[in-house]
């Protein structure tokens, strides 16, 4: 399953397909699977309780070698598990569709996502609605009730 050479397509920061929809305030990563906006997936993001925990997580990621995995704390008591599949190829498992799928990233794009766990990071104002849309779907009603 693990290889020294990977020819699998992976999400990169310089991709022509816009795969990253945004990162919400809880640091969840909203991605369009294979660049398809109709296939939106929400992956748990790294949640660091301190600067030291943040540094440890980044160092842990940078030290991964082929075949290793790294389990990191994520918001809402979730875990973010990163698998080093091949040189410059990392995977995050997603079972939101019922069957487990691995989303592949290069090191630069995945580290960029992990860096949003820094305590000073703030999400873009337009990404605030991402979290609200998840609440709306969960409750089956508008997140903000209309005034009478």
């Amino acid at each position: 399953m693990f290889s020294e050479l990977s020819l699998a397509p992976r999400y990169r920061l310089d991709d022509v397909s816009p795969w990253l929809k945004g990162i919400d305030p809880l640091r969840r990563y909203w991605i369009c699977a294979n660049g398809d906006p109709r296939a939106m997936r929400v992956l748990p993001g790294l949640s660091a309780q301190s600067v030291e925990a943040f540094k440890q997580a980044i160092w842990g990621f940078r030290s991964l070698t082929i075949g290793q995995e790294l389990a990191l704390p994520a918001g809402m008591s979730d875990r973010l598990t990163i698998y080093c599949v091949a040189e410059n190829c990392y995977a995050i498992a997603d079972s939101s569709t019922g069957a487990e799928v691995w989303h592949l990233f290069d090191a630069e794009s995945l580290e960029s996502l992990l860096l949003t766990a820094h305590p000073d990071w703030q999400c873009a104002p337009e990404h605030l609605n991402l979290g609200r849309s998840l609440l709306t779907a969960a409750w089956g009603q508008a997140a903000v009730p209309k005034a009478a």
Side-chain angles (χ1 to χ4, degrees):
M1 174 153 70
F2 300 101
S3 167
E4 294 286 333
L5 173 66
S6 172
L7 300 178
R10 62 200 98 178
Y11 302 118
R12 300 181 333 259
L13 290 179
D14 61 351
D15 257 336
V16 289
S17 65
W19 59 270
L20 181 62
K21 172 83 172 175
I23 303 167
D24 70 19
L26 295 177
R27 276 113 166 133
R28 291 178 296 217
Y29 314 135
W30 292 69
I31 64 170
C32 301
N34 300 319
D36 183 355
R38 296 168 298 168
M40 186 69 58
R41 300 292 177 259
V42 182
L43 303 177
L46 172 61
S47 176
Q49 300 302 316
S50 67
V51 174
E52 189 56 37
F54 169 75
K55 289 179 185 178
Q56 290 295 328
I58 298 299
W59 289 332
F61 169 69
R62 289 178 179 170
S63 67
L64 280 176
T65 59
I66 296 171
Q68 289 184 321
E69 64 184 69
L70 176 65
L72 298 170
M76 310 294 283
S77 70
D78 283 335
R79 300 293 290 172
L80 168 65
T81 303
I82 300 170
Y83 304 89
C84 182
V85 179
E87 174 118 10
N88 197 28
C89 185
Y90 301 87
I92 296 177
D94 172 22
S95 57
S96 65
T97 60
E100 188 170 271
V101 173
W102 281 16
H103 298 282
L104 302 178
F105 300 86
D106 70 359
E108 183 182 24
S109 61
L110 189 50
E111 185 167 318
S112 294
L113 293 175
L114 295 174
L115 289 175
T116 64
H118 191 277
D120 293 336
W121 178 86
Q122 293 181 0
C123 78
E126 63 270 17
H127 296 170
L128 289 172
N129 288 331
L130 293 173
R132 289 184 187 133
S133 68
L134 199 59
L135 284 175
T136 300
W139 291 336
Q141 60 186 359
V144 179
K146 295 181 180 179

